[in-house]
PDB file of all heavy atoms in Angstrom:
ATOM      1  N   TRP A 121      16.673  89.144 -14.581  1.00  0.00           N
ATOM      2  CA  TRP A 121      16.416  88.713 -15.956  1.00  0.00           C
ATOM      3  C   TRP A 121      17.463  89.361 -16.862  1.00  0.00           C
ATOM      4  O   TRP A 121      17.690  90.569 -16.789  1.00  0.00           O
ATOM      5  CB  TRP A 121      15.027  89.139 -16.401  1.00  0.00           C
ATOM      6  CG  TRP A 121      13.893  88.535 -15.633  1.00  0.00           C
ATOM      7  CD1 TRP A 121      13.548  88.787 -14.334  1.00  0.00           C
ATOM      8  CD2 TRP A 121      12.943  87.582 -16.126  1.00  0.00           C
ATOM      9  NE1 TRP A 121      12.438  88.061 -13.987  1.00  0.00           N
ATOM     10  CE2 TRP A 121      12.038  87.314 -15.064  1.00  0.00           C
ATOM     11  CE3 TRP A 121      12.750  86.953 -17.358  1.00  0.00           C
ATOM     12  CZ2 TRP A 121      10.979  86.431 -15.217  1.00  0.00           C
ATOM     13  CZ3 TRP A 121      11.687  86.076 -17.506  1.00  0.00           C
ATOM     14  CH2 TRP A 121      10.819  85.816 -16.439  1.00  0.00           C
ATOM     15  N   LEU A 122      18.073  88.558 -17.729  1.00  0.00           N
ATOM     16  CA  LEU A 122      19.178  89.046 -18.561  1.00  0.00           C
ATOM     17  C   LEU A 122      19.005  88.616 -20.009  1.00  0.00           C
ATOM     18  O   LEU A 122      18.503  87.528 -20.294  1.00  0.00           O
ATOM     19  CB  LEU A 122      20.514  88.506 -18.041  1.00  0.00           C
ATOM     20  CG  LEU A 122      20.910  88.896 -16.615  1.00  0.00           C
ATOM     21  CD1 LEU A 122      22.010  87.975 -16.106  1.00  0.00           C
ATOM     22  CD2 LEU A 122      21.364  90.349 -16.571  1.00  0.00           C
ATOM     23  N   ALA A 123      19.425  89.485 -20.911  1.00  0.00           N
ATOM     24  CA  ALA A 123      19.480  89.158 -22.333  1.00  0.00           C
ATOM     25  C   ALA A 123      20.887  89.447 -22.823  1.00  0.00           C
ATOM     26  O   ALA A 123      21.439  90.518 -22.553  1.00  0.00           O
ATOM     27  CB  ALA A 123      18.463  89.986 -23.116  1.00  0.00           C
ATOM     28  N   MET A 124      21.478  88.492 -23.545  1.00  0.00           N
ATOM     29  CA  MET A 124      22.850  88.629 -24.028  1.00  0.00           C
ATOM     30  C   MET A 124      22.901  88.503 -25.543  1.00  0.00           C
ATOM     31  O   MET A 124      22.259  87.622 -26.129  1.00  0.00           O
ATOM     32  CB  MET A 124      23.740  87.558 -23.391  1.00  0.00           C
ATOM     33  CG  MET A 124      25.143  87.477 -23.970  1.00  0.00           C
ATOM     34  SD  MET A 124      26.153  86.183 -23.207  1.00  0.00           S
ATOM     35  CE  MET A 124      26.701  87.043 -21.715  1.00  0.00           C
ATOM     36  N   ASP A 125      23.669  89.383 -26.175  1.00  0.00           N
ATOM     37  CA  ASP A 125      24.006  89.265 -27.590  1.00  0.00           C
ATOM     38  C   ASP A 125      25.108  88.210 -27.687  1.00  0.00           C
ATOM     39  O   ASP A 125      26.214  88.411 -27.167  1.00  0.00           O
ATOM     40  CB  ASP A 125      24.480  90.612 -28.116  1.00  0.00           C
ATOM     41  CG  ASP A 125      24.718  90.606 -29.618  1.00  0.00           C
ATOM     42  OD1 ASP A 125      24.759  89.513 -30.219  1.00  0.00           O
ATOM     43  OD2 ASP A 125      24.870  91.697 -30.200  1.00  0.00           O
ATOM     44  N   ARG A 126      24.826  87.095 -28.340  1.00  0.00           N
ATOM     45  CA  ARG A 126      25.700  85.930 -28.263  1.00  0.00           C
ATOM     46  C   ARG A 126      27.111  86.181 -28.797  1.00  0.00           C
ATOM     47  O   ARG A 126      28.095  85.776 -28.168  1.00  0.00           O
ATOM     48  CB  ARG A 126      25.085  84.762 -29.024  1.00  0.00           C
ATOM     49  CG  ARG A 126      25.971  83.519 -29.045  1.00  0.00           C
ATOM     50  CD  ARG A 126      25.386  82.419 -29.892  1.00  0.00           C
ATOM     51  NE  ARG A 126      24.198  81.823 -29.268  1.00  0.00           N
ATOM     52  CZ  ARG A 126      23.497  80.841 -29.836  1.00  0.00           C
ATOM     53  NH1 ARG A 126      23.849  80.374 -31.019  1.00  0.00           N
ATOM     54  NH2 ARG A 126      22.450  80.331 -29.212  1.00  0.00           N
ATOM     55  N   LEU A 127      27.244  86.824 -29.964  1.00  0.00           N
ATOM     56  CA  LEU A 127      28.557  86.910 -30.596  1.00  0.00           C
ATOM     57  C   LEU A 127      29.563  87.746 -29.803  1.00  0.00           C
ATOM     58  O   LEU A 127      30.649  87.261 -29.486  1.00  0.00           O
ATOM     59  CB  LEU A 127      28.428  87.430 -32.031  1.00  0.00           C
ATOM     60  CG  LEU A 127      29.721  87.472 -32.836  1.00  0.00           C
ATOM     61  CD1 LEU A 127      30.353  86.092 -32.905  1.00  0.00           C
ATOM     62  CD2 LEU A 127      29.451  87.990 -34.247  1.00  0.00           C
ATOM     63  N   PRO A 128      29.233  88.997 -29.420  1.00  0.00           N
ATOM     64  CA  PRO A 128      30.199  89.743 -28.597  1.00  0.00           C
ATOM     65  C   PRO A 128      30.087  89.428 -27.118  1.00  0.00           C
ATOM     66  O   PRO A 128      30.843  89.965 -26.312  1.00  0.00           O
ATOM     67  CB  PRO A 128      29.826  91.197 -28.868  1.00  0.00           C
ATOM     68  CG  PRO A 128      28.359  91.160 -29.112  1.00  0.00           C
ATOM     69  CD  PRO A 128      28.083  89.849 -29.818  1.00  0.00           C
ATOM     70  N   ARG A 129      29.115  88.557 -26.759  1.00  0.00           N
ATOM     71  CA  ARG A 129      28.863  88.209 -25.352  1.00  0.00           C
ATOM     72  C   ARG A 129      28.621  89.447 -24.497  1.00  0.00           C
ATOM     73  O   ARG A 129      29.206  89.613 -23.425  1.00  0.00           O
ATOM     74  CB  ARG A 129      30.031  87.400 -24.784  1.00  0.00           C
ATOM     75  CG  ARG A 129      30.413  86.227 -25.675  1.00  0.00           C
ATOM     76  CD  ARG A 129      30.450  84.941 -24.922  1.00  0.00           C
ATOM     77  NE  ARG A 129      30.876  83.864 -25.807  1.00  0.00           N
ATOM     78  CZ  ARG A 129      31.748  82.914 -25.477  1.00  0.00           C
ATOM     79  NH1 ARG A 129      32.299  82.931 -24.295  1.00  0.00           N
ATOM     80  NH2 ARG A 129      32.042  81.964 -26.321  1.00  0.00           N
ATOM     81  N   ARG A 130      27.764  90.308 -25.000  1.00  0.00           N
ATOM     82  CA  ARG A 130      27.487  91.564 -24.306  1.00  0.00           C
ATOM     83  C   ARG A 130      26.045  91.561 -23.816  1.00  0.00           C
ATOM     84  O   ARG A 130      25.132  91.134 -24.517  1.00  0.00           O
ATOM     85  CB  ARG A 130      27.726  92.733 -25.259  1.00  0.00           C
ATOM     86  CG  ARG A 130      27.655  94.087 -24.590  1.00  0.00           C
ATOM     87  CD  ARG A 130      28.371  95.148 -25.397  1.00  0.00           C
ATOM     88  NE  ARG A 130      28.114  95.031 -26.809  1.00  0.00           N
ATOM     89  CZ  ARG A 130      29.065  95.011 -27.746  1.00  0.00           C
ATOM     90  NH1 ARG A 130      30.329  95.066 -27.400  1.00  0.00           N
ATOM     91  NH2 ARG A 130      28.764  94.924 -29.020  1.00  0.00           N
TER      92      ARG A 130
END
Side-chain angles (χ1 to χ4, degrees):
W121 297 69
L122 299 163
M124 172 181 278
D125 186 347
R126 177 184 289 179
L127 184 58
R129 310 233 182 137
R130 188 159 42 231

